[in-house]
Amino acid sequence: MLGLDADRLRADLNRLLAFLFHQGILDEQYLQLQQLQDESSPNFVSEVVNIYFHESEKLLRNLRSLLMDREFSDYDKMGIHLNQFIGSSSSIGAKRVRNVCVAFRAASDQNNRAGCLRALELLEHEYCILKNKLHELFQIEQQRLLAAGVRYPMLN
Amino acid sequence: RKRQLLTEIVLRNRLTALVVDADTTCRVLEQLLLRSYGVQTQGVDNGRDAVTLIASGVKFNLIIIDMILPILNGLEATRQIRDMGVHCKMLGVTACSGESERQAFLAAGVDVFIEKPLDPEHLVPILRELDG
């Protein structure tokens, strides 16, 4: 029964991953991330993604703070934040977030404040989806590892 | 199994690399990717620290540097490193994807311009070349 739990959870994990790829939320770069995870660094993916979340939330706060300033005109600064966001999102395979950042950067390059505001709303929305889905993925993975661990206890 | 989607190589020589990127996610990932191939790495998050480290005499086989960096940007840091007579391989790895950015980075002194993310398809041929 416990083994079936681990198998069922693996199936859930694969289904969720397939969904995330199909929806374009993740791309193949995420698979490359998984390939860097091994026995010596079993939590590598979740650790790196947590770094990404931490950094991204700082960037989102900075972007919102810039745009909420009535006197705002520093599009160069906005471009720097967006470049960073594009780079980090690409590096973990966060495809939709990356694409929204690219559109946001285009609006910023044109000094289009209204376009930037719309892009920021969309970016915050996409980031929220990504974060929730990745948390779900990690939770299922944790449960799967627990279930597999119970199935295969340490033998003397 | 460990790197099924990555091209596996075994380096004969101990290579060293410096990763210069202000973004923690990118810097951590690039260093880990390099380490997965047995490359020893150091990381800094701004151009000035990169120049200072190189000026102190530390030698690297490879420098991976982003264009947008705080304190001293990637273009200027690259120029200063080359002006010191450093001839190691330099990869400009950046989220900036325009042709003008590419030309500017190559003119500053990087050997290769790569749009992020840094992936094995770009990295492995370079490591093979450095490994002789």
Side-chain angles (χ1 to χ4, degrees), chain A residues 16-34:
Chain A
L16 179 54
L17 266 173
F19 169 79
L20 294 174
F21 279 100
H22 185 259
Q23 293 293 309
I25 293 172
L26 293 178
D27 65 21
E28 63 275 5
Q29 183 64 21
Y30 187 80
L31 293 178
Q32 294 204 2
L33 211 66
Q34 287 187 316

Side-chain angles (χ1 to χ4, degrees), chain B residues 61-105:
Chain B
N61 302 108
L62 176 66
I63 298 174
I64 292 176
I65 184 164
D66 194 359
M67 184 178 275
I68 312 285
L69 295 168
I71 306 176
L72 184 69
N73 71 55
L75 293 177
E76 187 53 35
T78 301
R79 278 187 214 107
Q80 289 189 21
I81 289 168
R82 288 305 194 202
D83 284 346
M84 282 191 255
V86 171
H87 299 297
C88 72
K89 198 82 163 179
M90 288 186 76
L91 308 191
V93 179
T94 176
C96 304
S97 56
E99 183 58 25
S100 61
E101 284 91 352
R102 194 181 85 87
Q103 294 296 340
F105 221 169

